[in-house]
Amino acid sequence: MWAAAGAVGLGFLVALEIAARHYGVPGPITTQAREVIFAPRSAPLLYGSMALMMVVLTWRQRFIAAGAAIAIDLVFFLVRWGVGAEQMPGNGPLLVVLAHVVVALTRRTGRDRVLLLKGVGLALLLVAGRKTGYTWLMITSKTRPTVLDQYVATADHALGNPSWVVGRIVEATGSVGAHVLDWVYIQLAVAAIVVAVYQLRNVAADRRFPGHHLVRTFLVIGLLGPGIYMIYPVVGPIFAYGADGGHWAVANLWPHTPPALTTPQPMPFDEVTPRNCMPSLHTAWATAIFIHSRKGPLALRLLGVFWLVTTLGATLGFGYHYGADIIAGVVFTLTIEAALRALDRGWDRRGVLLVGHGTVVFAALLASYRYLPVEMAGLPWLYGPLLVLATGSVVYGYVRTTRHWDRQPTAVRVPEQRREPQPERV
C-alpha cells in the first residue's frame, strides 16, 4: 500500500511539474529541490516536518538530528551572510530528513527500515503538499479565466454578509489584531504539526503508526480541495469587491458596503489571483485541527479552539472568503474525516450514512450557491437558517457517529498464521 501510494504521489508531482512548466513557472519538484541549497520559503514548516519524522526516533537520535539541523543552518547563515544572499533558515532540517533516507536504506533492516521510511515519507509529504498547493493555485488562475464571485456574494446575503461584518471588526482592532490574525493564518501548518506530534508521540515505543491521525486528514483535504477550485472558481471579496482586485473588481465595496442585489453572472478576472475560495481550505484544516485536538490535554484543546476561531476571523476579516465558503469547508472536512475514520475501523452502516449525508449536503450547498443565489438573498429568513441547519446536521451526525465508534473498540486484524511446509521425506 505504501509503495502504491508513493508511486501515485510521485506521478502526481511529475504531472504537476509538467503542467507548471507549460505555463513557464517551476513546479513542485523544482522548487523543493532548490530549497536543498537556496533559501527556503518557510522555515517553521521545514522544522515542523523534521519533528514529524523524529517521532520514529529515540530521544538520543532526536537530539542528534535537531543539533545537526541547527548546525547546518548556522553554516548556511554564515555563507549567505558572506556572499550577501537572501537569508532564511530551513535547509538544515530538510537535509537531515533526506539524510535519514540514506540511513534507512544502508543502516536499517526489516521493520526498523520500514518505520524510518514511513517517518521520512510523512515529513516529505507535508512539505510536498505545500509546494503542490502553490502550483495548484497557479493552475487555477491560468485555466479559469472567469470566476463565480457574484453568485456566492449574492447567496451570502442569506447569511448576513459575514465577511463584510468581520472585516469591519478586524479593521476596528487596528494593526495588533491584524498582525495576530495574519500570523495565525500563515502558520496554520505549525499548529497542525503540534497536534500531529502529540498524536504520534508513542510511535517510537510502539514501533508502528496509529491507524488514523491528523496528517492523513490534512493531506486528503489538500488533495481534494483544489479539484473543487477548478469546478467552482471564486477569488474572494477582497479581490472581487475590494481594492486588491484593481480594475477587475466589480467595485471597491469591501468591507463597508455590501454588494447590491442584482442578477449574478460569471465575471472575467486576471491570470494571477488564485481561484481558491470554494470551499475554504483554511477553515477545513482549522476544523481538522480542532477535531483532532479534542482528545488531547487541556493546553492542546485550547490550541485547537484558538486556531479555529482566529482562522475564521482571518479568513472572513481579511476578505479572503465569504460566509458560504466557511460552512462548505466545515462540511467538507467532516465528510473527509468520517470517511478516513470509517476506512480505518472498517465500514459500517453508520459510516456509510454519515459520509453519504455529508457528500449530499456539500453538493447541495455548491448547487444552491450556483443556481439559487437570488432566491436565497430574497428570503434570508428562510435560506439562512436552512444553510445553518444543513451544516449542523452534518456536525450532529459526525459527533453522534464518532461517539458510538469510540464506545466500541476497533477490531484488530490479525493475519492468519502460515503453516509450515511439509518436510520432504528422505
Side-chain angles (χ1 to χ4, degrees):
M1 184 185 67
W2 280 85
V8 171
L10 180 60
F12 182 67
L13 288 175
V14 171
L16 279 182
E17 183 75 25
I18 294 172
R21 292 303 182 95
H22 174 72
Y23 292 107
V25 297
I29 297 177
T30 301
T31 54
Q32 189 58 69
R34 283 178 54 86
E35 291 190 352
V36 175
I37 302 296
F38 296 96
R41 189 164 184 171
S42 174
L45 176 67
L46 291 171
Y47 272 96
S49 298
M50 184 183 68
L52 277 181
M53 185 269 296
M54 290 194 299
V55 299
V56 305
L57 305 179
T58 64
W59 279 106
R60 179 177 177 273
Q61 293 167 342
R62 291 169 185 171
F63 283 122
I64 293 173
I70 295 171
I72 293 171
D73 268 345
L74 286 175
V75 172
F76 271 91
F77 170 78
L78 293 174
V79 172
R80 287 174 181 150
W81 178 70
V83 300
E86 179 187 1
Q87 291 284 3
M88 175 63 74
N91 304 93
L94 179 58
L95 288 170
V96 167
V97 170
L98 295 175
H100 277 80
V101 177
V102 179
V103 172
L105 297 177
T106 60
R107 304 293 296 275
R108 299 284 191 273
T109 58
R111 292 181 62 187
D112 289 340
R113 172 185 289 177
V114 173
L115 187 68
L116 183 53
L117 288 176
K118 285 182 178 180
V120 171
L122 202 63
L124 294 179
L125 274 175
L126 191 62
V127 176
R130 175 66 69 90
K131 302 302 178 186
T132 300
Y134 292 144
T135 305
W136 260 117
L137 295 183
M138 182 275 299
I139 291 175
T140 63
S141 63
K142 299 293 185 183
T143 60
R144 293 295 179 266
T146 59
V147 297
L148 303 177
D149 281 76
Q150 293 187 26
Y151 294 88
V152 183
T154 303
D156 225 36
H157 280 76
L159 296 171
N161 299 299
S163 181
W164 272 257
V165 175
V166 180
R168 292 194 294 271
I169 294 174
V170 172
E171 190 178 69
T173 62
S175 60
V176 176
H179 279 99
V180 171
L181 293 179
D182 184 60
W183 184 84
V184 169
Y185 190 84
I186 293 174
Q187 302 300 339
L188 181 69
V190 176
I193 290 169
V194 171
V195 176
V197 168
Y198 174 80
Q199 289 182 320
L200 304 176
R201 66 194 183 281
N202 295 323
V203 169
D206 297 341
R207 312 307 295 165
R208 64 180 181 86
F209 280 85
H212 180 54
H213 49 84
L214 176 59
V215 180
R216 295 179 70 198
T217 307
F218 226 72
L219 293 173
V220 174
I221 289 173
L223 180 65
L224 299 180
I228 311 299
Y229 293 164
M230 303 293 285
I231 298 172
Y232 209 113
V234 181
V235 293
I238 188 64
F239 299 102
Y241 294 94
D244 288 15
H247 69 276
W248 297 95
V250 176
N252 189 0
L253 302 175
W254 188 90
H256 299 289
T257 307
L261 290 179
T262 58
T263 302
Q265 58 186 356
M267 54 184 284
F269 217 79
D270 61 35
E271 295 185 359
V272 177
T273 306
R275 280 61 164 154
N276 62 336
C277 276
M278 183 63 71
S280 169
L281 291 198
H282 262 77
T283 299
W285 283 318
T287 303
I289 292 172
F290 173 80
I291 292 171
H292 283 265
S293 67
R294 292 303 85 203
K295 294 184 179 180
L298 178 61
L300 200 67
R301 297 198 301 271
L302 292 176
L303 174 71
V305 173
F306 170 77
W307 230 272
L308 178 60
V309 172
T310 50
T311 299
L312 292 177
T315 54
L316 293 171
F318 291 149
Y320 297 149
H321 289 280
Y322 304 90
D325 310 336
I326 302 299
I327 62 175
V330 172
V331 174
F332 186 66
T333 297
L334 294 176
T335 305
I336 290 174
E337 179 70 17
L340 290 176
R341 288 200 59 174
L343 181 65
D344 175 54
R345 71 181 313 279
W347 288 92
D348 59 8
R349 181 174 177 273
R350 289 175 180 268
V352 172
L353 289 177
L354 177 59
V355 174
H357 177 62
T359 304
V360 170
V361 170
F362 181 72
L365 290 176
L366 297 188
S368 63
Y369 300 157
R370 179 65 175 84
Y371 298 107
L372 296 173
V374 176
E375 291 78 2
M376 294 169 69
L379 298 172
W381 54 269
L382 172 63
Y383 285 96
L386 282 178
L387 292 175
V388 175
L389 285 173
T391 306
S393 69
V394 179
V395 174
Y396 174 75
Y398 177 83
V399 172
R400 183 178 180 182
T401 301
T402 53
R403 283 180 177 174
H404 174 78
W405 285 344
D406 291 339
R407 289 193 298 266
Q408 295 182 340
T410 304
V412 179
R413 300 188 183 95
V414 179
E416 294 184 4
Q417 291 185 344
R418 293 184 179 180
R419 296 184 60 185
E420 291 294 328
Q422 190 71 19
E424 265 188 40
R425 296 181 183 274
V426 179

